[in-house]
Amino acid sequence: MHTRWSLLGAGARLVACAVMLVVFCRGAIAHPGVSTVALVKVSAEGRVEITVRADVLALAVGHTSRFDPDEPMLALLHGPEDELDAAMVGAREALERGLVVRVDDGGGGGDKGTDLAFGIVAWARGEDVRAARGVDGGAPRLPLKMDYVVEAQARGPVRRVAVGFPIEMGDVVVTVDRPTLEPVALPLGAGEVSPWIEVGPGGAAAVSEKPAENAAEKAGAGKAVDAPATVHPFWRFLKMGFVHIIPLGLDHILFVLGLFLLSTSTRGLLLQVTAFTVAHSVTLALTMLGKIDLAAAVVEPVIAASIVLVAVENIVVKRVHPWRVAVVFVFGLVHGMGFAGVLREAALPRGQLVGALIAFNVGVELGQLAVIGAALLVVGWWRQKPWYRARVVVPASALIALVGAWWVVERVWG
């Protein structure tokens, strides 16, 4: 009787943990991709045009994180028309407050440069959002991204440019189209002002090693802040790949943990991780190069299903069989297409594509290794204990399977 009640208690705790984990992980129902993409065009005469594709509802409600709940945005989407219209005006005003357009035009500003006055000539209005809902009033899949167009004019030819965006727009990949140099792309953190980017004749480097100093006043929520010491774009794309795993890639984290749990030997774990790495590297590259293209509506549910299948296999088998490596390879191909969705939206310049791919992929690998390292630190000491499977592998795999099953449902019918 005591054993029965112990099992019931363990089952209740397992269900409770699963419920909490599902609630915590609801934000990972799909890969949101890059939060914001911006194209900055600088003409030889000093005209600056910025097209920003951003999550208009997040900007309207003041969200600053991908983990903020969707309910306020959905309420706005389906609420009264006058409230939606007012919120879209508020979103435009948030862009006006938080946008920084700074140039070095040789006018004596030095490294501080000159902040240009700008005008927003096109923006998302309430009727645009209502049109996105469709005639039947159905909700589009969040995030709902639309374009803002900003124009500014310098006093003359521009040598360097720096831009910053409201913190509500999250991470931004900025591509600068320059009149005398090849385009250059640069990831920015939320609320960060970019370093100086050379746009005029004589630019020795694509990106200056010095940040654009003296950002506009920081008063008020959502104002962009000064950039830290600048690093090469390679390292920024590497960081972007790492962050896509930790903390944003909850589904990838659970998949890697599923691989870790069944592998009580280093050899078995290395075989699986190697198969996964090779597979997702191949499809990441092929997808970014336009050789293959599979819709996110297919990729994301399959990624969730892969989590379920790996976790269930952990429960029903006791060691890594040869077929496991083949299955992991196949799932790795699908995960690679999921990774590609993050970069594809940024429309990177072709000359920078290979370097960005390598850097991003290295970041992803470092993130995966960090997950495995953390798992080893937490439970690795007991992997050879006779009770390890019953007390760690089976309960943890059951939790992972439940969360993965929840994601399958949300990604297919959500």
Side-chain angles (χ1 to χ4, degrees), residues 98-272:
L99 183 66
V100 174
V101 184
R102 183 168 302 128
V103 298
D104 174 9
D105 56 6
D111 282 335
K112 294 182 178 181
T114 302
D115 285 349
L116 296 182
F118 57 82
I120 301 177
V121 299
W123 61 91
R125 295 174 169 84
E127 56 262 34
D128 301 317
V129 176
R130 285 189 286 274
R133 291 191 308 209
V135 294
D136 59 352
R141 182 180 289 271
L142 298 179
L144 179 59
K145 296 187 178 183
M146 295 183 176
D147 290 346
Y148 293 84
V149 180
V150 179
E151 293 181 350
Q153 178 65 55
R155 292 173 295 184
V158 173
R159 294 173 50 224
R160 303 183 296 179
V161 66
V163 291
F165 300 88
I167 196 170
E168 295 93 339
M169 286 188 169
D171 300 335
V172 183
V173 174
V174 178
T175 299
V176 181
D177 189 355
R178 308 173 291 177
T180 61
L181 299 169
E182 291 294 321
V184 62
L186 186 71
L188 301 178
E192 179 186 1
V193 174
S194 76
W196 285 120
I197 300 172
E198 305 288 348
V199 297
V207 180
S208 170
E209 290 300 316
K210 296 186 68 176
E213 298 174 343
N214 188 30
E217 291 296 322
K218 300 176 186 177
K223 194 66 181 179
V225 299
D226 284 337
T230 306
V231 294
H232 191 276
F234 179 92
W235 301 108
R236 288 177 174 263
F237 280 106
L238 185 149
K239 177 184 176 183
M240 184 178 172
F242 186 90
V243 170
H244 184 63
I245 300 297
I246 301 174
L248 301 180
L250 295 176
D251 45 3
H252 297 300
I253 289 174
L254 292 189
F255 184 82
V256 172
L257 288 176
L259 302 185
F260 167 83
L261 286 170
L262 189 61
S263 305
T264 56
S265 71
T266 302
R267 180 177 179 274
L269 181 59
L270 286 177
L271 283 174
Q272 294 179 80

Side-chain angles (χ1 to χ4, degrees), residues 255 259 271-287 292 324-340 361 364-365 368:
F255 184 82
L259 302 185
L271 283 174
Q272 294 179 80
V273 171
T274 300
F276 184 63
T277 297
V278 171
H280 77 63
S281 299
V282 169
T283 48
L284 172 60
L286 290 177
T287 303
I292 58 175
R324 168 85 161 205
V325 177
V327 170
V328 168
F329 182 85
V330 172
F331 285 145
L333 295 174
V334 181
H335 280 250
M337 287 183 272
F339 292 142
N361 204 48
V364 166
E365 296 313 313
Q368 292 173 170

Side-chain angles (χ1 to χ4, degrees), residues 274-364:
T274 300
F276 184 63
T277 297
V278 171
H280 77 63
S281 299
V282 169
T283 48
L284 172 60
L286 290 177
T287 303
M288 286 301 300
L289 294 172
K291 303 301 182 182
I292 58 175
D293 187 15
L294 195 60
V298 176
V299 172
E300 299 305 333
V302 174
I303 289 176
S306 73
I307 297 169
V308 177
L309 293 177
V310 166
V312 169
E313 187 182 13
N314 290 350
I315 297 171
V316 300
V317 304
K318 296 184 178 180
R319 63 182 180 86
V320 176
H321 292 277
W323 72 73
R324 168 85 161 205
V325 177
V327 170
V328 168
F329 182 85
V330 172
F331 285 145
L333 295 174
V334 181
H335 280 250
M337 287 183 272
F339 292 142
V342 179
L343 285 176
R344 183 168 48 186
E345 187 180 352
L348 300 175
R350 182 159 295 275
Q352 206 176 345
L353 183 58
V354 173
L357 272 173
I358 293 172
F360 182 83
N361 204 48
V362 170
V364 166

Side-chain angles (χ1 to χ4, degrees), residues 46-122:
R47 181 178 179 82
V48 181
E49 180 181 282
I50 305 174
T51 302
V52 187
R53 189 164 186 82
D55 183 351
V56 295
L57 294 176
L59 186 61
V61 302
H63 278 191
T64 59
S65 169
R66 292 181 186 176
F67 297 105
D68 288 342
D70 290 345
E71 284 73 16
M73 292 185 289
L74 293 173
L76 186 61
L77 190 63
H78 298 292
E81 292 190 1
D82 58 340
E83 292 185 8
L84 178 60
D85 292 334
M88 290 301 100
V89 172
R92 185 192 68 197
E93 293 172 347
L95 177 58
E96 290 175 338
R97 290 192 303 271
L99 183 66
V100 174
V101 184
R102 183 168 302 128
V103 298
D104 174 9
D105 56 6
D111 282 335
K112 294 182 178 181
T114 302
D115 285 349
L116 296 182
F118 57 82
I120 301 177
V121 299

